[in-house]
Amino acid sequence: MSVKDEIKLQFPAFSENEGFARTAVSAFISKLDPRVDELADIRTAVSEAVTNAVVHAYRKEAGLVYMTVRILKDRVVSIHIRDKGCGIEDIEKAMTPLFTTAPNEERSGLGFAVMESFMDTLSVKSRAGAGTCICMKKKLAEKE
């Protein structure tokens, strides 16, 4: 799909930057005039992806989160959220609902399930010791 517009951001993996990421995506895609429910879905998925990077990728160490948001033809929004943290050894296991690598931190293990339920597509690429990239897409409804 051809890219109509794109932004790239990087920010420190601090929990307070999760709100920044949601707001940045919302502002960027606002030109498409998404429905309220579509915007809420995207904001929630971004929140979960950034939180995963903050909580799991860097394990309380310094690091950066890289976010690329693209507007593609036919009102498709593509979001890639990447880190250079510890990576995921077993992606299939990590995507299982209720699985968490931080059970002592009261984590629900639903991040990937939430992202998958709110977006049209979700893919996860990761290498242990090299980081993770979460790729999500959502097609917005046509305007009447």
Side-chain angles (χ1 to χ4, degrees):
M1 282 193 168
S2 65
V3 176
K4 295 179 84 176
D5 204 356
E6 173 182 84
I7 60 166
K8 292 183 179 189
L9 303 168
Q10 70 178 37
F11 48 89
F14 301 145
S15 60
E16 50 275 8
N17 283 336
E18 173 266 326
F20 164 74
R22 276 194 330 249
T23 302
V25 170
S26 297
F28 181 66
I29 68 170
S30 67
K31 65 183 109 194
L32 296 174
D33 194 22
R35 296 185 328 223
V36 172
D37 63 316
E38 293 170 328
L39 190 57
D41 290 353
I42 292 169
R43 289 171 55 89
T44 300
V46 166
S47 177
E48 290 294 333
V50 171
T51 296
N52 274 1
V54 170
V55 172
H56 301 290
Y58 295 111
R59 312 247 187 226
K60 299 182 182 180
E61 293 182 14
L64 294 172
V65 176
Y66 305 86
M67 184 168 73
T68 301
V69 184
R70 294 183 179 107
I71 295 174
L72 308 176
K73 70 177 190 171
D74 298 327
R75 297 177 54 81
V76 173
V77 176
S78 170
I79 303 166
H80 292 213
I81 296 176
R82 184 174 56 86
D83 64 68
K84 294 182 180 179
C86 64
I88 301 171
E89 289 184 30
D90 186 340
I91 294 172
E92 186 176 334
K93 184 176 182 180
M95 292 182 76
T96 303
L98 304 178
F99 174 80
T100 181
T101 59
N104 298 333
E105 297 177 19
E106 297 183 27
R107 299 288 169 189
S108 66
L110 293 172
F112 285 124
V114 167
M115 287 180 252
E116 203 164 34
S117 70
F118 286 118
M119 301 300 281
D120 295 332
T121 64
L122 170 73
S123 67
V124 180
K125 297 174 186 162
S126 190
R127 272 195 354 237
T132 300
C133 183
I134 297 172
C135 306
M136 307 178 281
K137 287 184 182 175
K138 186 164 189 80
K139 180 172 177 25
L140 303 180
E142 294 298 324
K143 296 310 288 180
E144 295 180 14

